[in-house]
Amino acid sequence: MLEAIGLGPEAEQLYLALLDQPSQTRAELVSRLPGWSAARASRVLTDLVERGLVTTLTGRPLRYAAIAPDIALETLSRQQIEQVRKVQELVPRLMKLYWEATKSTTATDFVELVTADVEGTSQRTRQLHLSARSQVRAFERPPHPWSPNSLEPDELGALLDPDAVIQRENIANGVRYRVVYDSVEVEDAARWPDLRDSALAGEEIRIFDGLPVKLVLFDDLAATTALANADGQPIGIVVVHKSPLLDALSALFEMYWANAVPWVAPDTADSTEDQLVSLLASGHTDELIARRLGLSRSTVQRRVNDLMDRFGARTRFQLGLQLGRRLALEPRRT
């Protein structure tokens, strides 16, 4: 509970014991804390006094009392924040030293292989997300730690929630998120709630049919792409640091972003036709649209043909592109 301000489990337990019953001797504290020795209590009490959380009272035997939390914990919190701020101020200077040192390294030093388990690779990726200051750009496509259509929306949401929390905090701090999703992603109904929540949080979403690689770019400093085995199962990630290769990956993203179709959450549309337009622009198949809207497949096909005639589109792809651009130009509904 109090780890964030630097208190370990022992110090927290003793401080809470003093809050529960003020003015206790060391012997009284030991009697209330099973497994504690007098030496252990003395060591922790000394630490708490030095931190300004506990004070000693006059008299013999020596008695201890907890200092009011609104004073003691507020002071420690401010000290902790100040220490973090000083570390943050050091980051630009340390990064300058880092990049100066890397000028003499070989090209292969800019590629880092992380072949840990899912938790290990996720932790490395989250570190990079937390380091972003300007923008995060991504191609979202398989491989995933889960199989398509294998999870219910609630299960998928729980799996993605830690990343979503970091993303929301980054967006609130001014980091821009642009993500191109492969059309296979929107064919999985379990992804729809996640896509909608991401869009509502401020993520800019576009759809492209057939992305070449799974990719995340963090500012202009690093990128990650997935490693998969022969069966398509993820086995790690490649981290690319500042280099000509990173510049090429950045250019690749911008090219696909310019040609991808903007996505609008279907359930934010006002009418059945608006929902149909949104689903088409997002790259959904007739079968998925029919299921989503509760229509027959033949009805969906007829309405798609009507839209093709109305917009003068010769192919379904042309229609989706025109509808996507129209949606991108419309004011966002609130």
Side-chain angles (χ1 to χ4, degrees), residues 254-280:
E254 295 299 341
M255 182 181 70
Y256 274 85
W257 177 262
N259 289 281
V261 176
W263 183 83
V264 176
D267 51 1
T268 63
D270 294 328
S271 66
T272 300
E273 179 168 307
D274 288 341
Q275 292 184 54
L276 174 62
V277 167
S278 296
L279 290 163
L280 274 171

Side-chain angles (χ1 to χ4, degrees), residues 164-183:
V165 170
I166 293 173
Q167 178 178 322
R168 286 194 296 270
E169 291 177 350
N170 276 355
I171 290 175
N173 290 327
V175 179
R176 184 185 183 191
Y177 275 73
R178 289 187 288 154
V179 183
V180 181
Y181 288 80
D182 194 286
S183 58

Side-chain angles (χ1 to χ4, degrees), residues 119 122 126 146 151-165 168 190 193-194 197:
E119 182 57 36
S122 295
R126 286 166 189 159
W146 67 91
L151 297 176
E152 294 297 323
D154 289 347
E155 295 175 311
L156 184 60
L159 181 66
L160 299 176
D161 188 59
D163 299 314
V165 170
R168 286 194 296 270
D194 173 51
D197 290 346

Side-chain angles (χ1 to χ4, degrees), residues 22-25 49 54-66:
S23 183
Q24 298 182 66
T25 65
V49 170
V54 170
T55 187
T56 56
L57 304 176
T58 57
R60 287 288 183 267
L62 196 64
R63 307 188 74 84
Y64 297 86

Side-chain angles (χ1 to χ4, degrees), residues 179-180 204-208 256-265 277-283 320-330 332:
V179 183
V180 181
E204 300 171 47
I205 296 176
R206 295 189 179 184
I207 309 295
F208 194 91
Y256 274 85
W257 177 262
N259 289 281
V261 176
W263 183 83
V264 176
V277 167
S278 296
L279 290 163
L280 274 171
S282 300
L321 191 61
Q322 292 186 45
L323 292 175
R325 286 173 176 164
R326 191 194 83 177
L327 289 169
L329 294 173
E330 288 180 351
R332 191 183 290 256

Side-chain angles (χ1 to χ4, degrees), residues 96-110:
K96 183 178 179 180
L97 292 173
Y98 173 79
W99 292 123
E100 287 294 328
T102 58
K103 287 180 180 178
S104 60
T105 60
T106 63
T108 54
D109 293 326
F110 292 110

